[in-house]
Amino acid sequence: MCGIVGLFLKDKALEPRLGELLSDMLITMTDRGPDSAGIAIYGAGAPGKVKITAQSADPENEFKGLVAELELAGVAADVTLKSTHAVIEIAEDAVADTRAFLARKGLRVMGAGESVEIYKEVGLPKDVVARFDIRAMGGTHGIGHTRMATESAVTTLGAHPFSTGADQCLVHNGSLSNHNNLRRVLVKQGMKFETQNDSEVAAAYLTSEMAGGKDLGQALTSALDDLDGFFTFVVGTKDGFGVVRDPIACKPAVMAETDQYIAFGSEYRALVNLPGIETARVWEPEPATVYFWDHGKAA
Amino acid sequence: MPVFDLAKTPLREFNAALHSVGNGDNDTAFEVLNPRGSHALAVGIDQPLSVDVRGSVGYYCAGMNDGGAVTVHGSAGPGVAENMMTGTVTIEGDASQYAGATGRGGLLVIKGNAASRCGISMKGIDIVVHGNIGHMSAFMAQSGHLVVLGDAGEALGDSLYEAKLFVRGEVKSLGADCVEKEMRPEHIEVLAGLLEKAGADAKPEEFKRYGSARTLYNFNIDNADAY
Amino acid sequence: MSYHNPHTPPRKSATFDDYTLAEIRRAAATGIYDIRGAGAKRKVPHFDDLLFLGASISRYPLEGYRERCDTSVTLGTRFAKKPIELKIPITIAGMSFGALSGPAKEALGRGATIAGTSTTTGDGGMTNEERGHSEKLVYQYLPSRYGMNPTDLRRADAIEVVVGQGAKPGGGGMLLGQKISDRVAEMRTLPKGIDQRSACRHPDWTGPDDLEIKILELREITNWEKPIYIKVGGARPYYDTALAVKAGADCVVLDGMQGGTAATQDVFIENVGMPTLACVRPAVQALQDLGMHREVQLIVSGGIRSGADVAKALALGADAVAIGTAALVALGDNDPHLEAEYQKLGTTAGAYDDWHEGRDPAGITTQDPVLAARVDPVAAGRRLANYLKVMTLEAQTIARACGHNRLANLEPEDLCALTMEAAAMAKVPLAGTDWYPGKAGF
C-alpha cells in the first residue's frame, strides 16, 4: 500500500529539473508510505555503456576501492558513490562479469540498464531523497514510490521500484492475490526473485512478457488478464512510460498532461507543485485501460 | 469574511473554526486559499455556513456536511461530500471516485466529470453531474437521485435499491438488477427541479430513467448468478 | 451343523456422517446455502488448551479479596483526546439494532454500564435507547453505513471502523427480510421486508493508505476526541494489526473465527478465518515489532466465555476482550426454560442459531414486538452485569494466584499448554517442558 508518482517529460527544457520535480512529488506522498521510498531516474546514458546500481548496508567498507577491485575482476568501470548506492558504469559486454563480482561481494543490484539509475532505501521519503541527492539529477522520465508494507518485510530490497529487466522498472499501489502462484510459474521459466514482494512478481511478469516479444503496452494488456487483485502500476522502460489499473480500480490515480509533461500521482497533492498544473488537463486513468507513452515514438 | 490560507494555517485550525460557528453567528462565509489537494477539508459542518475553496482538494472534502454550502473552485479527490446529510456541495471541476458515497440528503453538483462509484450506497442525496460518470456508479444505491448529463460507465446501478438514476448520454452497461424504466410526468417534474437547482442547461425529456428491477429483493435461487 | 455367514453391522461413513448427509439433502431441496448465526461450531484449539501455572515458592501469590488486583484498562491513549476508561477489561461486542431487539440492546447497555464497561452499536445505527442506557458506547463505522450520521458520531464515546468480523473475514452480510421491520427499514433507508445485502468493502476507501485518510476525516469531524478502533476478522492478524497501527488506529479489535452473532453462510463461518487462540500472538508480535504494544490497545474477541478465557487472552498480550454470544446467553438466549418453543422451531435450547430469522423465543434476536416484549431490560441487564462481575472475579482469582496485582500484568510465562496445537499457536511451552513447536533449539 503506497503512494506512487511518475513524470514523463516532453519538453527538453525541463530535463535538468526532473530530479527536483519528482522529489517534491514523492515527499508529498509520505503519508501513504512512510516505511521506505525509492525512485528510478532515466537519464542520458552513453551508447554501448550500461549502468548498474548496487546497494550496500555497509558502504564505507564495501565500496572502498571498488574501482580497483573491479579492475582486478577484469572490468573497467566508472563508479559514482551516493550514500548506500554505487552507480557502476561499464561496457555492455562486461555486465555478466560485473554482476558476478557484485554477487561474490554480497552487494545487491537495484537495477541495471543503459539509462536507468534506481535509488531506494528504508526510511522517510525526504531522507531518502536527500541522501541520494535526487534533486540534483536530470533526466527524461522517472517514477517513484513511497511504501507502506502490507505482507512483506520492510527492507531495502522490498522497497520499490522493482527492476527485473534492463532499463525496466515498476511501482505498484495495491495488493495482488495470485502472486504466489504466478511466482512459481515464473521461477519455472527461469526468472529469479530477490524478495517475497507481490510487486516484484508483477515486474518480473512484465519482463517475461516483453522478453517474449511484446512491447510494454502489450505486456500491460496481458497483465489485466493474468494478474489477480488490486493494482495501479506505473512502469518505466528506456524510452517508455506506462500506467494501468485493475478492472475494479479502487486504488487512487490522477494524471496530468501539459505540453511539457505527463505526470502521475496517487493523489492530486503530488501534482500541485508542477509547472503549469493550474491549466493542465487532469484526469483519472480508466480501469482496465493501458496508458502508454514512448519517447521514441512521441518524437 | 474569514479567509484561511492553508499554506500558512493547519487544517485542524480551519475545521475547528467551522465547528465553532454557533447559531446566529454573523461570520458564516469562509474562504480557503491554497488547498493544494488537502484531505478532510471542511468536514463535519453542522451549521448553515458557506465555504469557498480556491483550488483543488483531496479526499473526503465536505464529508458528512450538514447544512453547509461548500464550493470547490477546482477538482475534488475521492469521497467528496461522503455521507452528506443536508446542504449543497458544488465542484466546479471534476470529482474522483466515490463522490457522494452514502449521502443521505442535500445536493451535490459536479460541473465536470465524476469517476467510478459515483453515488455508491447513496441513501437520499441528490447528485447532478454535468459531465460523465465512471464505472460501478450508484452501486447498492438505496435512495435519492443521480442525474448525469453525459455518459455513464459500466455496471451502472448494480444491486440497486430505490435510488432513481437519470442519464442523458450513453450507458456503457447496466449492473445486475438495474433496468431502464418509463419516464412518467412525476419523474420529469423531479428531474426538471434538480436540473434547475444544479444550474444545468438540459431538458428533462432528453434523459432516460433507470431503476431497480427488484428481482434481488428477496433471495431466489434462480437469480444466484447475479450475486 | 450349518454355517451362517457372520453379520456385519451397518457402518456409517465418518466422512459422510449424518450431519453431512442431511446438509446435502437440504442443499439439494432448497438450492441455497445455509445461513445462520452463532459463530464457528466446529471444535478448534482454544483457550481451554492452556493452563495457568499459579505461584508457590518461586513466585508469591496475592491474598484473595484483600490484596488489590486492579482490573481497569484505558483504551485509546495514542491519539484521542478523550480515551475510554473501563473498570473491567471485558467489553460488549458490536451487535446491531435490527439483529437484536430494542429491549435486548437496552439490556446490554444497562448491564455494561453497571459493570463499568462499554457496549457497541452494530450495522444499523445508534438508537436513543442504546445511547441513553450505555454510559460508554462505541459506534461502529461499517461498509453499509446504515444509520451513519455526524450527530451520532459525535455523541459516541469511540468509533470502531469495522473492516472485518471473525465469522466472515472478507465477506459481507445478509439480513433476511423477516427482520426488516418498519423501524429497522427506516434506520437503514431500505424498503420494508426485503433482504438487506451488506457490502464486503467500505464504499469509499480500500487499503491502509486510504484508511489513514479516512481516519483523519473521522478525527477532524469529532475534534480528535474519540478513540478510533479498527476491527478486523482473524485472518492475517500480524499484517492486519500492523497496518491498522500504521493507518493510525488507537485500538485494534481482533475477532477470531468463533466470534460472530450475525447471519453468515455456514460454509463461511466454519471454513474461513483462524481460531481466536491462534490470532493473539501474531497480533501482539506486530504491536511489539512496531513498539506499540500497550500504546495501541488490542481487544480480542471470539469465543470468550469465562474469567479464565479473559485471563488467558490478557496473558497472551491482549489489553481487553469483547463478548457477543456469551452476552446474549447471559441475557437469556437459548435458555432451557424455552425448550418447548425451541422444539417447535425444529431445534433445541443450546443449538438455536437462526438468529437472523427473527423468531427467537427469547425475544433477543428478533424484531417481533410480541417476542421482544419477553425481554425485561432491567432484569436482563442485571444478569449481564452479574456475569461480567463473575468473569472479572475469576480473572482476578487467577491473576492473584500468579502473583499479579493487576490483570494487565499477566504474561505468557504464566501459562503452559495441554496440547501441541495450543503450544504452537500460543507459543507457550507444552506442560512440563520448556518447548513449543517452532521454537528453536531442539
Side-chain angles (χ1 to χ4, degrees):
Chain A
M1 290 296 130
C2 324
I4 51 185
V5 298
L7 189 59
F8 180 85
L9 299 179
K10 297 198 259 182
D11 181 355
K12 283 198 182 306
L14 274 184
E15 288 183 5
R17 293 182 60 197
L18 179 73
E20 171 210 331
L21 295 169
L22 260 180
S23 294
D24 282 341
M25 295 169 77
L26 191 74
I27 291 166
T28 314
M29 291 294 95
T30 299
D31 294 346
R32 300 190 72 85
D35 292 338
S36 64
I39 209 156
I41 299 258
Y42 290 86
K49 293 279 194 177
V50 167
K51 293 187 279 190
I52 296 181
T53 315
Q55 186 263 1
S56 164
D58 182 16
E60 276 183 33
N61 289 311
E62 291 189 312
F63 286 165
K64 204 161 70 182
L66 200 56
V67 177
E69 284 183 54
L70 277 160
E71 206 170 312
L72 277 176
V75 177
D78 284 331
V79 174
T80 312
L81 294 184
K82 279 191 186 180
S83 180
T84 57
H85 287 37
V87 180
I88 303 165
E89 193 171 43
I90 49 170
E92 224 167 18
D93 57 9
V95 170
D97 286 348
T98 309
R99 279 187 180 271
F101 164 81
L102 293 172
R104 278 200 303 279
K105 216 170 147 55
L107 296 175
R108 305 175 186 118
V109 173
M110 304 281 99
E114 192 179 305
S115 59
V116 76
E117 292 177 28
I118 294 178
Y119 299 93
K120 52 189 192 181
E121 257 320 332
V122 174
L124 288 173
K126 71 173 169 56
D127 299 331
V128 175
V129 160
R131 75 194 296 173
F132 298 119
D133 202 13
I134 303 287
R135 284 183 191 283
M137 296 182 72
T140 52
H141 55 297
I143 63 179
H145 185 270
T146 64
R147 176 162 187 242
M148 188 188 282
T150 47
E151 290 192 0
S152 57
V154 179
T155 60
T156 307
L157 280 173
H160 300 220
F162 282 99
S163 179
T164 49
D167 279 319
Q168 295 168 10
C169 66
L170 168 145
V171 291
H172 170 208
N173 182 18
S175 175
L176 301 181
S177 60
N178 68 336
H179 63 100
N180 293 308
N181 275 338
L182 191 55
R183 183 197 317 269
R184 285 186 273 271
V185 172
L186 291 167
V187 165
K188 272 198 169 172
Q189 291 174 9
M191 299 292 298
K192 290 199 166 47
F193 290 88
E194 306 266 10
T195 72
Q196 290 302 307
N197 194 296
D198 59 336
S199 311
E200 188 184 11
V201 176
Y205 169 83
L206 295 178
T207 299
S208 165
E209 292 293 300
M210 286 189 278
K214 291 179 179 168
D215 68 19
L216 178 58
Q218 291 165 329
L220 289 172
T221 303
S222 311
L224 286 167
D225 278 337
D226 291 336
L227 297 181
D228 195 1
F230 295 81
F231 53 86
T232 297
F233 294 137
V234 179
V235 293
T237 60
K238 186 164 163 283
D239 298 311
F241 179 78
V243 172
V244 70
R245 302 170 84 188
D246 68 78
I248 298 172
C250 280
K251 298 314 296 179
V254 186
M255 299 201 68
E257 182 167 15
T258 70
D259 291 342
Q260 291 187 291
Y261 59 80
I262 289 148
F264 177 96
S266 287
E267 298 173 21
Y268 178 74
R269 284 191 304 155
L271 311 179
V272 296
N273 284 320
L274 291 173
I277 189 68
E278 303 79 16
T279 52
R281 179 172 85 91
V282 178
W283 79 101
E284 270 193 22
E286 293 285 322
T289 304
V290 173
Y291 296 80
F292 179 52
W293 292 267
D294 193 304
H295 274 304
K297 290 173 192 165
Chain B
M1 176 192 280
V3 179
F4 285 78
D5 183 347
L6 288 188
K8 297 172 192 155
T9 312
L11 172 78
R12 184 76 282 264
E13 220 169 280
F14 168 63
N15 281 332
L18 294 182
H19 298 165
S20 67
V21 173
N23 261 328
D25 281 9
N26 289 327
D27 265 348
T28 58
F30 292 78
E31 188 172 10
V32 178
L33 308 177
N34 294 310
R36 298 163 67 83
S38 297
H39 304 317
L41 195 64
V43 296
I45 293 173
D46 58 358
Q47 295 289 331
L49 45 82
S50 75
V51 178
D52 279 275
V53 184
R54 308 284 170 193
S56 293
V57 297
Y59 282 55
Y60 308 131
C61 181
M64 297 208 184
N65 179 39
D66 197 357
V70 178
T71 304
V72 176
H73 302 272
S75 289
V80 64
E82 69 90 14
N83 215 86
M84 175 153 55
M85 306 300 292
T86 62
T88 312
V89 175
T90 307
I91 310 301
E92 296 289 345
D94 297 331
S96 181
Q97 44 186 348
Y98 329 127
T102 78
R104 273 144 219 286
L107 175 68
L108 169 62
V109 179
I110 297 160
K111 298 278 179 75
N113 302 316
S116 66
R117 300 178 180 84
C118 181
I120 183 171
S121 282
M122 56 194 277
K123 302 172 201 300
I125 190 176
D126 293 324
I127 304 175
V128 179
V129 182
H130 288 226
N132 308 322
I133 59 171
H135 71 286
M136 286 298 269
S137 286
F139 175 56
M140 293 182 103
Q142 293 171 230
S143 171
H145 303 89
L146 172 62
V147 179
V148 184
L149 276 67
D151 303 332
E154 297 206 33
L156 176 72
D158 194 283
S159 304
L160 194 65
Y161 291 103
E162 292 299 300
K164 293 182 173 65
L165 319 179
F166 300 97
V167 182
R168 183 167 70 166
E170 281 184 24
V171 173
K172 209 164 185 184
S173 69
L174 291 173
D177 211 30
C178 182
V179 292
E180 190 184 336
K181 293 192 165 182
E182 180 197 0
M183 197 70 148
R184 295 196 295 268
E186 67 263 33
H187 304 123
I188 298 276
E189 193 186 327
V190 167
L191 181 54
L194 288 170
L195 289 168
E196 196 192 331
K197 275 206 281 184
D201 183 20
K203 294 187 181 67
E205 294 78 12
E206 298 166 349
F207 289 75
K208 286 180 178 169
R209 177 169 79 98
Y210 302 89
S212 176
R214 304 192 179 99
T215 57
L216 300 182
Y217 274 16
N218 291 102
F219 187 87
N220 177 338
I221 187 59
D222 297 325
N223 295 330
D225 288 348
Y227 280 83
Chain C
M1 182 175 156
S2 63
Y3 179 81
H4 295 286
N5 281 337
H7 178 68
T8 306
R11 181 180 180 186
K12 285 187 174 171
S13 164
T15 304
F16 290 89
D17 61 11
D18 284 346
Y19 182 83
T20 305
L21 295 172
E23 175 54 22
I24 292 171
R25 287 183 204 105
R26 195 203 58 75
T30 63
I32 180 174
Y33 41 48
D34 187 27
I35 292 179
R36 65 171 181 83
K41 292 189 169 186
R42 66 154 71 203
K43 187 164 175 58
V44 294
H46 196 29
F47 292 122
D48 290 337
D49 303 323
L50 301 179
L51 298 175
F52 281 98
L53 298 173
S56 43
I57 301 178
S58 71
R59 284 201 188 183
Y60 320 137
L62 300 187
E63 202 66 69
Y65 303 100
R66 279 176 291 283
E67 288 169 345
R68 191 175 153 71
C69 180
D70 183 25
T71 63
S72 65
V73 60
T74 305
L75 303 174
T77 52
R78 185 186 185 192
F79 290 123
K81 282 194 228 164
K82 294 185 178 172
I84 294 202
E85 290 173 16
L86 302 179
K87 288 187 189 142
I88 60 172
I90 310 162
T91 66
I92 307 300
M95 291 174 279
S96 70
F97 169 74
L100 302 193
S101 65
K105 286 297 280 179
E106 181 183 333
L108 290 176
R110 286 176 179 273
T113 300
I114 296 170
T117 190
S118 62
T119 185
T120 312
T121 67
D123 195 356
M126 186 188 288
T127 65
N128 284 328
E129 296 97 307
E130 186 173 29
R131 177 63 277 188
H133 293 289
S134 306
E135 194 194 329
K136 303 257 181 352
L137 181 59
V138 182
Y139 191 26
Q140 284 196 329
Y141 191 76
L142 291 124
S144 67
R145 309 276 164 85
Y146 292 129
M148 175 52 54
N149 64 78
T151 308
D152 286 341
L153 203 66
R154 289 185 176 116
R155 62 180 190 150
D157 298 293
I159 299 161
E160 182 171 302
V161 178
V162 180
V163 186
Q165 303 171 48
K168 44 181 167 176
M174 169 95 86
L175 191 59
L176 293 189
Q178 297 92 314
K179 282 177 84 170
I180 307 285
S181 66
D182 285 337
R183 187 173 175 206
V184 172
E186 191 196 328
M187 282 181 72
R188 302 187 184 204
T189 331
L190 288 170
K192 191 186 172 189
I194 70 164
D195 300 343
Q196 167 229 295
R197 295 156 272 152
S198 296
C200 70
R201 290 198 309 270
H202 278 258
D204 57 358
W205 65 269
T206 311
D209 40 17
D210 287 355
L211 174 58
E212 178 168 4
I213 307 170
K214 176 49 76 176
I215 291 175
L216 170 71
E217 185 205 5
L218 294 172
R219 289 200 194 276
E220 283 291 324
I221 290 173
T222 55
N223 196 28
W224 289 74
E225 288 176 354
K226 321 287 182 195
I228 309 268
Y229 302 2
I230 305 289
K231 179 175 180 175
V232 293
R236 299 165 201 248
Y238 181 88
Y239 297 120
D240 289 343
T241 303
L243 289 167
V245 172
K246 286 182 189 178
D250 290 305
C251 287
V252 176
V253 183
L254 181 59
D255 192 22
M257 75 179 285
Q258 299 102 306
T261 54
T264 309
Q265 302 93 322
D266 177 80
V267 68
F268 211 139
I269 299 178
E270 295 290 355
N271 295 286
V272 182
M274 292 214 299
T276 306
L277 176 68
C279 291
V280 186
R281 286 308 287 270
V284 172
Q285 189 65 51
L287 292 168
Q288 287 170 340
D289 289 351
L290 293 166
M292 284 289 172
H293 192 214
R294 308 295 186 206
E295 300 287 318
V296 170
Q297 288 80 31
L298 177 67
I299 304 171
V300 167
S301 56
I304 303 287
R305 306 148 300 175
S306 65
D309 289 348
V310 176
K312 288 167 186 174
L314 264 52
L316 292 179
D319 294 276
V321 300
I323 58 168
T325 302
L328 299 190
V329 173
L331 296 188
D333 209 75
N334 267 297
D335 197 291
H337 86 272
L338 297 165
E339 180 61 22
E341 297 192 51
Y342 284 120
Q343 293 279 345
K344 278 188 219 155
L345 295 172
T347 182
T348 181
Y352 181 62
D353 56 18
D354 287 328
W355 289 338
H356 56 295
E357 289 184 348
R359 295 186 292 170
D360 183 4
I364 293 169
T365 61
T366 182
Q367 292 303 315
D368 180 326
V370 176
L371 293 173
R374 293 177 173 186
V375 176
D376 173 351
V378 176
R382 186 71 243 176
R383 283 198 298 277
L384 175 63
N386 287 344
Y387 170 58
L388 290 168
K389 193 169 175 182
V390 169
M391 281 207 283
T392 306
L393 285 169
E394 287 174 343
Q396 283 176 302
T397 302
I398 287 170
R400 284 198 184 94
C402 294
H404 300 300
N405 64 10
R406 296 186 59 201
L407 288 185
N409 289 345
L410 286 160
E411 54 190 12
E413 288 75 7
D414 291 322
L415 293 164
C416 67
L418 280 172
T419 65
M420 295 284 267
E421 288 83 356
M425 290 177 188
K427 292 190 173 58
V428 302
L430 194 62
T433 78
D434 59 358
W435 176 80
Y436 55 82
K439 185 181 177 183
F442 279 79

